[in-house]
Amino acid sequence: MVTATALETELLELAGSVPDPELPVLTLHELGVVRAVHLTGPDSVEVDLTPTYTGCPAVETMSADIERILRAHGMHEVTVRTVLAPAWSTDDITPEGRRKLQRSGIAPPRTRHPGGPVPLTLGATRTGHDAATATGPALEAIRCPHCDSADTELLSRFSSTACKALRRCLSCREPFDHFKEL
């Protein structure tokens, strides 16, 4: 186990404070994508960044923003490395990140319990509760971020970004984004 220095810890906090370019209500720390910072010299640093999915178009912007904030803090050489293992999952979103998603009108991803294979099901595009169609253990309902009703339906598996699905609340009738579980 490698222990981070005080400067690495400070730089990790700075890199993690960068807002996510697609979900600016979250920082990269709250999204859980900044994994580590390693000093490689007196004014050079490497940052480990794990994308939310392969081919995520936001990685370039995230890297540029991390480089900019660390250079402003005195680092002359900043390298942002894409690290694929361990893979990112929505379980990496912090509790504060989940609260911020909810407050901004985006249903946060449901939490999963670790262990075992992840069951996948194929089904109709418009569905009611996911738990009713799942073959594995029942998942908690996706709750409306506006009225907190669990009576919601899927309208589209994709929304404003590939990370989100479009749902509608059957109680208040408002559409909303749902951050999909990965």
Side-chain angles (χ1 to χ4, degrees):
M1 179 175 182
V2 177
T3 304
T5 66
L7 181 55
E8 287 173 325
T9 301
E10 180 183 350
L11 296 174
L12 180 64
E13 289 176 16
L14 280 171
S17 71
V18 170
D20 177 72
E22 289 183 332
L23 296 163
V25 300
L26 298 180
T27 65
L28 297 184
H29 165 73
E30 293 162 341
L31 189 58
V33 296
V34 176
R35 298 293 171 96
V37 168
H38 312 280
L39 283 173
T40 56
D43 59 355
S44 63
V45 65
E46 289 182 352
V47 179
D48 293 345
L49 177 70
T50 300
T52 55
Y53 64 94
T54 303
C56 176
V59 168
E60 286 184 36
T61 302
M62 289 178 191
S63 298
D65 291 346
I66 289 170
E67 287 179 31
R68 185 174 24 262
I69 197 166
L70 295 182
R71 287 180 201 272
H73 195 71
M75 294 290 117
H76 286 99
E77 186 177 327
V78 178
T79 303
V80 178
R81 299 182 317 164
T82 300
V83 177
L84 300 178
W88 179 88
S89 85
T90 49
D91 291 340
D92 294 328
I93 298 175
T94 66
E96 179 61 20
R98 292 172 187 279
R99 282 189 289 278
K100 285 183 174 181
L101 286 172
Q102 179 83 23
R103 284 193 305 254
S104 66
I106 299 171
R110 296 167 290 190
T111 54
R112 293 180 295 187
H113 300 288
V118 176
L120 297 175
T121 57
L122 300 175
T125 303
R126 274 181 81 154
T127 61
H129 297 291
D130 289 340
T133 59
T135 58
L139 295 172
E140 63 187 280
I142 297 170
R143 304 191 78 80
C144 173
H146 306 295
C147 72
D148 201 38
S149 171
D151 194 14
T152 65
E153 69 176 350
L154 179 68
L155 295 178
S156 173
R157 295 192 188 282
F158 297 96
S159 185
S160 57
T161 65
C163 304
K164 294 181 280 186
L166 181 62
R167 298 188 72 89
R168 176 175 51 191
C169 177
L170 299 175
S171 294
C172 72
R173 311 300 293 172
E174 289 292 323
F176 64 92
D177 282 336
H178 169 234
F179 200 110
K180 295 184 281 190
E181 294 87 15
L182 292 177

